[in-house]
């Protein structure tokens, strides 16, 4: 009886050692796998022709006899997330603080993010027209990056800032949202082959994790329920705030108009361009497509924003601009 028990103890002891060895091998292989993936994640710089092309990178690695790990596509239906987004309130409104708070997300240079554990189904560009709203920008970056990271997207955020040393007769110191977004689209395609584009105001923060920024089959209006508009569309043809569109469709409608200086008009013109080409504007339910609007000073209003004679004039191909500088964040 004693000898039998002793033999069983020895057997269990040996099995325990084997289990520990198997676990050690598993963890070693797991961390080797993770380190290998991280080693070949492409980095980006916000300057022309510097974003890594995945196809060229793959060919280069294969020529060097490096074993590549082919990841499975990310799930189309994401795991259940808490429905309502908890907004992050910046303790300090500066980009250094924002970058520090976002450091755990492993954001790549140039505001680029991509999942490590699966292959993103979409490669999207978030284009943000901007001028003189630094507080809004800090809130925007601090909240949008965590929101998009949960969606397993390969995305890059572009901040397109309007700058002029002196007001010309044309702009009279006014903002041109449409022209900035056309410029952002043109410059983004010099960096990478994006599937679709989201034209996003800097003062709007998504409030529902079900508001997925995937590439739409038809143009998608996302800012359906904005709190400053009492969580409903201000009017039926409203097509502003946040809009998602494929590269094919944006090229088809010839982009935004460049002639709307000051607040208002370019979003209505985008609606007319979209429907003129018989595209269907889609929307999520208001409960899903809900946004919080950040406060900011009012812009100069475009006095011609209601003039329908201006619609469908000005286009993506006719934009004159000078790039003053490229700034790269999240180094």
């Amino acid at each position: 009886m004693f000898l039998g028990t002793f033999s069983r103890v020895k057997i269990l002891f040996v099995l325990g050692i084997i289990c520990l060895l198997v676990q050690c091998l598993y963890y070693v292989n797991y961390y080797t796998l993770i380190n290998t993936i991280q080693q070949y994640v492409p980095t980006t710089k916000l300057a022309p022709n510097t974003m890594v092309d995945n196809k060229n990178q793959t060919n280069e690695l294969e020529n060097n006899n490096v074993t590549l790990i082919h990841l499975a596509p990310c799930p189309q239906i994401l795991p259940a997330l808490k429905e309502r987004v908890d907004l992050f309130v910046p303790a300090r409104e500066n980009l250094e603080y924002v970058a520090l708070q976002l450091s755990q997300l492993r954001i790549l240079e140039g505001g680029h993010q991509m999942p490590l554990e699966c292959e993103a189904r979409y490669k999207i560009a978030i284009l943000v027209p901007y001028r003189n709203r630094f507080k809004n920008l800090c809130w925007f970056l601090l909240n949008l990056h965590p929101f998009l990271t949960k969606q397993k997207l390969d995305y890059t955020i572009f901040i397109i800032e309007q700058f002029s040393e002196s007001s010309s007769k044309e702009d009279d110191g006014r903002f041109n949202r449409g022209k900035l977004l056309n410029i952002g689209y043109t410059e983004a395609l010099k960096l990478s082959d994006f599937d679709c584009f989201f034209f996003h105001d800097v003062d709007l923060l998504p409030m529902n994790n079900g508001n997925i920024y995937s590439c739409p089959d038809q143009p998608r209006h996302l800012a359906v329920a904005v709190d400053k508009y009492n969580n409903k569309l201000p009017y039926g043809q409203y097509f502003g705030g946040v809009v998602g569109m494929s590269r094919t469709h944006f090229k088809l409608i010839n982009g935004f108009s460049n002639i709307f200086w000051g607040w208002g008009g370019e979003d209505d013109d985008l609606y007319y361009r979209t429907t003129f080409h018989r595209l269907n504007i889609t929307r999520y339910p208001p409960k899903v497509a809900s946004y919080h609007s950040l406060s900011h000073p009012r812009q100069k209003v475009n006095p011609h924003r209601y003039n329908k004679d201006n619609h469908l004039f000005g286009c993506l191909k006719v934009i004159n601009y000078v790039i003053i500088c490229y700034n790269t964040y999240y180094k």
Side-chain angles (χ1 to χ4, degrees):
M1 181 70 177
F2 176 80
L3 291 175
T5 303
F6 181 75
S7 298
R8 284 196 293 271
V9 169
K10 287 199 297 183
I11 292 171
L12 291 174
F13 178 78
V14 172
L15 288 175
I17 293 296
I18 293 173
C19 287
L20 287 174
L21 288 173
V22 170
Q23 286 182 338
C24 287
L25 288 172
Y26 170 80
Y27 283 119
V28 168
N29 288 334
Y30 174 78
Y31 284 111
T32 302
L33 171 66
I34 294 300
N35 290 332
T36 304
I37 294 173
Q38 290 177 336
Q39 185 177 358
Y40 297 113
V41 170
T43 58
T44 64
K45 293 185 178 181
L46 195 57
N49 303 321
T50 57
M51 184 172 285
V52 173
D53 185 285
N54 290 334
K55 186 179 294 184
N56 293 337
Q57 185 191 47
T58 300
N59 293 336
E60 181 181 347
L61 293 174
E62 288 177 346
N63 292 336
N64 292 330
N65 296 321
V66 176
T67 302
L68 295 178
I69 299 173
H70 297 283
L71 301 175
C74 295
Q76 286 185 315
I77 301 177
L78 298 172
L81 298 171
K82 181 181 177 182
E83 184 177 281
R84 185 166 179 82
V85 174
D86 294 323
L87 293 182
F88 295 100
V89 179
R92 296 191 299 275
E93 292 169 339
N94 60 66
L95 292 178
E96 291 75 15
Y97 171 80
V98 172
L100 179 63
Q101 296 302 308
L102 296 176
S103 59
Q104 293 184 349
L105 294 182
R106 194 199 52 83
I107 297 171
L108 302 174
E109 201 169 4
H112 179 211
Q113 176 70 301
M114 60 187 296
L116 283 178
E117 67 277 16
C118 57
E119 184 177 353
R121 292 178 179 271
Y122 308 104
K123 193 169 194 176
I124 69 174
I126 310 291
L127 306 182
V128 185
Y130 172 79
R131 186 175 69 169
N132 298 334
R133 290 193 185 175
F134 187 71
K135 291 184 178 181
N136 287 176
L137 179 61
C138 292
W139 279 71
F140 179 83
L141 295 174
L142 187 60
N143 285 278
L144 198 68
H145 273 299
F147 173 80
L148 293 176
T149 299
K150 296 174 186 176
Q151 299 187 13
K152 309 298 181 186
L153 300 168
D154 184 340
Y155 72 87
T156 306
I157 296 179
F158 296 88
I159 308 299
I160 308 99
E161 182 175 11
Q162 181 175 326
F163 176 82
S164 59
E165 293 183 351
S166 60
S167 300
S168 65
K169 291 182 179 180
E170 182 183 24
D171 62 40
D172 190 27
R174 292 172 295 173
F175 192 60
N176 192 323
R177 180 176 180 269
K179 191 169 187 177
L180 288 176
L181 290 171
N182 284 340
I183 293 170
Y185 170 87
T186 303
E187 293 298 317
L189 285 178
K190 295 178 183 178
L191 302 180
S192 190
D193 197 21
F194 291 102
D195 299 313
C196 58
F197 296 80
F198 284 78
F199 309 102
H200 209 303
D201 285 354
V202 73
D203 62 333
L204 291 181
L205 304 179
M207 295 301 298
N208 191 307
N209 281 310
N211 190 356
I212 305 299
Y213 282 46
S214 59
C215 290
D217 294 330
Q218 292 288 325
R220 181 183 299 153
H221 182 221
L222 288 89
V224 177
V226 181
D227 52 8
K228 74 174 182 179
Y229 297 136
N230 297 318
N231 295 309
K232 60 183 180 180
L233 293 174
Y235 50 93
Q237 296 177 338
Y238 178 61
F239 198 40
V242 186
V243 171
M245 196 175 297
S246 70
R247 183 177 59 188
T248 301
H249 287 156
F250 192 67
K251 188 175 180 180
L252 172 67
I253 68 172
N254 214 358
F256 282 87
S257 171
N258 299 307
I259 66 174
F260 289 92
W261 294 91
W263 182 85
E266 84 292 331
D267 48 358
D268 292 334
D269 179 77
L270 187 70
Y271 173 87
Y272 292 125
R273 288 168 182 256
T274 303
T275 55
F276 176 81
H277 288 280
R278 301 185 183 279
L279 298 174
N280 297 318
I281 295 174
T282 61
R283 292 186 173 101
Y284 289 135
K287 181 181 179 181
V288 174
S290 60
Y291 286 81
H292 171 61
S293 177
L294 300 170
S295 61
H296 56 80
R298 286 184 61 86
Q299 297 181 28
K300 292 184 179 180
V301 174
N302 178 3
H304 307 295
R305 64 189 184 280
Y306 297 126
N307 186 354
K308 292 187 177 181
D309 292 336
N310 290 330
H311 292 309
L312 302 178
F313 284 94
C315 61
L316 178 63
K317 296 179 182 177
V318 186
I319 44 177
N320 299 317
Y321 62 93
V322 175
I323 299 295
I324 296 176
C325 65
Y326 283 89
N327 288 325
T328 304
Y329 300 110
Y330 310 112
K331 293 183 179 180

